[in-house]
């Protein structure tokens, strides 16, 4: 838990979010600024700054997160989907609590911008 972290505040319930999944370790909520018809974020409740902060001890947790993201995409009718982790400002990271974007419900181009 990091005091100044927006997503830790969402986990604690201090800031509301439209949640679609929660268990002891993970939380999923719809993105406030969706970039696709289906766009939610899946986060570990453990505060990790971003992909670069993942340690060996987090391997199982992050594995579960990726697997759950695919399951939730399917359950929520995303069809084909894209899983995105941004690391660092230049990559577009704005919240420094690791989160996986799950985007679906439309055709996508490659490479991303
Ligand atoms: P990043 O740019 O760090 O990869 O992604 C952060 C994401 O969090 C953005 O897509 C942004 O729209 C979303 N976001 C930022 N603040 C909030 C919030 O208070 N609630 C929700 N649901 N999403 C947020
Ligand atoms: Zn946090």
């Amino acid at each position: 838990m990091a005091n100044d972290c927006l997503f830790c505040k969402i986990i604690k319930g201090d800031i509301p979010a439209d949640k679609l999944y929660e268990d002891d370790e993970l939380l999923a909520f719809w993105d406030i600024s969706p970039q696709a018809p289906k766009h939610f974020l899946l986060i570990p409740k453990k505060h990790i700054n971003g992909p670069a902060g993942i340690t060996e001890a987090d391997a199982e947790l992050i594995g579960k997160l990726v697997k759950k993201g695919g399951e939730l995409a399917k359950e929520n009718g995303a069809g084909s989907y894209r899983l995105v982790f941004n690391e660092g400002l230049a990559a577009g990271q704005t919240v420094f609590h690791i989160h996986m974007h799950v985007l679906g419900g439309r055709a996508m181009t490659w490479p991303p911008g």
Side-chain angles (χ1 to χ4, degrees), residues 66-88:
V66 173
K67 179 170 180 286
K68 181 57 73 177
E71 291 168 1
L72 291 172
K74 190 173 178 197
E75 284 169 23
N76 285 276
S80 295
Y81 56 87
R82 188 170 289 177
L83 307 178
V84 176
F85 289 91
N86 292 323
E87 169 60 47

Side-chain angles (χ1 to χ4, degrees), residues 18-22 26-30 40-43 68 72:
D18 185 8
K19 299 175 185 177
L20 63 143
Y21 178 78
E22 182 164 19
L26 305 175
L27 176 66
F29 51 95
W30 296 101
F40 62 86
L41 304 173
L42 183 54
I43 65 175
K68 181 57 73 177
L72 291 172

Side-chain angles (χ1 to χ4, degrees), residues 46 48 51-59 62:
K46 176 182 178 183
I48 299 169
I54 297 169
T55 67
E56 192 66 36
D58 302 317
I62 300 301

Side-chain angles (χ1 to χ4, degrees), residues 86-94 96:
N86 292 323
E87 169 60 47
L89 290 170
Q93 187 178 9
T94 59
F96 290 83

Side-chain angles (χ1 to χ4, degrees), residues 89-111:
L89 290 170
Q93 187 178 9
T94 59
V95 179
F96 290 83
H97 180 126
I98 191 170
H99 49 279
M100 185 171 74
H101 295 262
V102 182
L103 300 126
R106 66 167 169 84
M108 292 182 201
T109 57
W110 191 263

